[in-house]
Amino acid sequence: MNAPVAVITGTGSYAPSRVMTNEDFASYLETSDSWIRERTGIRERRIASPEEATSDLAVLAARKALESADLTPKDIDGIILATATPDLLFPSTACLVQARLGADKAFAFDLNAVCSGFIYAMSVAKSMVESGSARRLLVIGSEVMSRTLDWSDRGTSILFGDGAGAVVLEASATAKRGLETFRIRADGRYWEMIHVPGGGSRISEKGTPYLRMKGGETFKLAVRSLQESVLEVLSASGVSPGEIDLLVPHQANIRIIDALATRLGLPMDKVMVNIDRYGNTSAASVPVALDEAVREGRVAEGSRILLTAFGSGVTWGSGLLTWEAELQKRSRL
Ligand code: COA
């Protein structure tokens, strides 16, 4: 018998209701709406309320993903939650989500590859489904980045936002391609490029619990790594950029996305962009963008979709998939 193919059968997302605009930053920082829009593409971002934590956002996104897959929490074998902003140091946020959903058959663990977390989680989930060790998985990216920000630093605070996105991944005997090729990479020599020095076991005299970033260096490395990564995945799959129906990139900076689209020769109508409304939501960025693309009707049965992300670590990765949700749902009955 052939190994099962991993297919996405449902997507969901959730963003906190509080909107923080560029003007809100300009009211107390030396910055402006036009600087932020031109240099990053961001107009506004969502900020979690003091009562909301990463698991709360994740549960709401996961429920929507289950609903769109026509499944219940009891159908799920496992939950992989990508986050760099867990509710607690331990236990994992995935365990809190498992309990809240009542997904009592599901194993649960967190995975931290920061902004590349969802691509990493999908890569792990794909292997579990293909090996037969799990049949139905919830893969979630959820972040409350706002808790890590130094609100007086105009170089970082304006970039990030909060949100959660989720997919249901199933083993399919009928799907042809599903998740085709995923490649994940890391280079820990660059760990300082984007990091949060407090909150872990490393005691640092200079440590603050706030995110620090070397913006210019990060920008250049992100552009180079994303380009290499997508080209590696396309070449391993024998697919040319022209065959891609939709690129869903990590939403860190519109100029990084533009550079990638130009390199691939993809027109912007084949690129999912929602950075203007959410900023960089780290591990939630790709699944939120994917869910919006699906709900906006930009994904059809058979669409070839390319996911890609770069983040702290540094980590990066890409994945090529074919959308076969309807085929799988029909063959399930
Ligand atoms: N408003 C106004 N001016 C700002 C500013 C802001 N919010 N943030 C920085 N500046 C200033 C800088 O202080 C600098 O001023 P100086 O020349 O007087 O020193 C000037 O703008 C240019 O700074 P620079 O860092 O060169 O700008 P940039 O064009 O590289 O844009 C980032 C800065 C952070 C937007 C950009 O580097 C970036 O997006 N980097 C990648 C970030 C990223 O993707 N991180 C996450 C990866 S997952």
Side-chain angles (χ1 to χ4, degrees):
M1 234 181 62
N2 289 338
V5 171
V7 291
I8 296 176
T9 54
T11 65
S13 61
Y14 171 77
S17 56
R18 184 178 156 214
V19 174
M20 187 162 179
T21 65
N22 293 343
E23 294 296 352
D24 293 332
F25 283 101
S27 71
Y28 76 96
L29 274 180
E30 214 173 298
T31 189
S32 64
D33 174 49
S34 60
W35 193 96
I36 299 172
R37 268 191 294 110
E38 279 158 28
R39 305 308 294 161
T40 72
I42 302 167
R43 277 193 294 119
E44 59 187 41
R45 67 290 290 144
R46 302 298 185 91
I47 303 294
S49 70
E51 299 76 36
E52 274 179 319
T54 295
S55 65
D56 302 307
L57 277 52
V59 164
L60 293 168
R63 286 199 183 120
K64 289 188 190 158
L66 285 165
E67 193 184 316
S68 75
D70 302 323
L71 292 173
T72 72
K74 311 265 181 241
D75 297 317
I76 296 299
D77 300 327
I79 300 171
I80 307 178
L81 190 146
T83 190
T85 52
D87 287 26
L88 310 166
L89 211 44
F90 60 82
S92 71
T93 305
C95 281
L96 307 178
V97 170
Q98 187 245 20
R100 288 268 299 285
L101 289 175
D104 37 27
K105 269 188 359 201
F107 64 77
F109 65 90
D110 286 1
L111 185 157
N112 182 359
V114 200
C115 296
S116 314
F118 184 75
I119 306 286
Y120 266 63
M122 288 291 272
S123 176
V124 171
K126 170 182 179 340
S127 302
M128 295 187 86
V129 166
E130 288 174 353
S131 71
S133 65
R135 221 159 49 89
R136 285 182 183 141
L137 295 174
L138 257 175
V139 185
I140 308 171
S142 185
E143 302 277 16
V144 179
M145 290 302 285
S146 58
R147 304 275 200 270
T148 71
L149 299 177
D150 172 354
W151 295 97
S152 66
D153 177 8
R154 66 178 182 172
T156 55
S157 58
I158 54 123
L159 295 172
F160 295 91
D162 304 333
V167 303
V168 174
L169 199 65
E170 285 187 57
S172 171
T174 45
K176 305 267 178 312
R177 296 198 184 107
L179 302 197
E180 296 177 55
T181 311
F182 272 67
R183 293 279 190 276
I184 51 176
R185 299 284 302 275
D187 191 339
R189 290 175 302 172
Y190 296 110
W191 68 270
E192 270 185 301
M193 207 170 259
I194 320 166
H195 73 288
V196 177
S201 65
R202 175 73 61 199
I203 296 167
S204 159
E205 305 234 320
K206 293 182 288 193
T208 70
Y210 300 122
L211 184 147
R212 290 178 183 172
M213 186 180 68
K214 297 173 184 162
E217 287 171 50
T218 302
F219 188 96
K220 284 185 218 129
L221 192 56
V223 170
R224 203 170 65 231
S225 307
L226 289 170
Q227 291 184 357
E228 280 172 16
S229 175
V230 295
L231 292 174
E232 183 191 350
V233 162
L234 289 176
S235 136
S237 319
V239 168
S240 69
E243 292 173 83
I244 297 302
D245 296 303
L246 189 68
L247 172 68
V248 183
H250 174 48
Q251 312 280 313
N253 187 314
I254 190 66
R255 292 183 293 137
I256 296 177
I257 297 173
D258 282 344
L260 183 60
T262 303
R263 175 74 179 81
L264 292 174
L266 279 185
M268 285 310 277
D269 64 356
K270 288 192 169 186
V271 182
M272 183 61 200
V273 175
N274 63 6
I275 189 171
D276 51 325
R277 287 174 291 123
Y278 299 115
N280 179 347
T281 57
S282 184
S285 165
V286 169
V288 169
L290 178 62
D291 180 51
E292 290 202 337
V294 170
R295 287 171 199 270
E296 286 169 14
R298 297 182 65 175
V299 172
E301 196 75 357
S303 290
R304 278 297 198 33
I305 303 171
L306 186 58
L307 313 177
T308 190
F310 175 90
S312 166
V314 295
T315 56
W316 67 99
S318 303
L320 175 71
L321 64 99
T322 297
W323 190 261
E324 291 172 287
E326 293 314 315
L327 176 69
Q328 169 58 14
K329 282 198 221 168
R330 274 199 309 274
S331 61
R332 212 199 268 152
L333 301 170

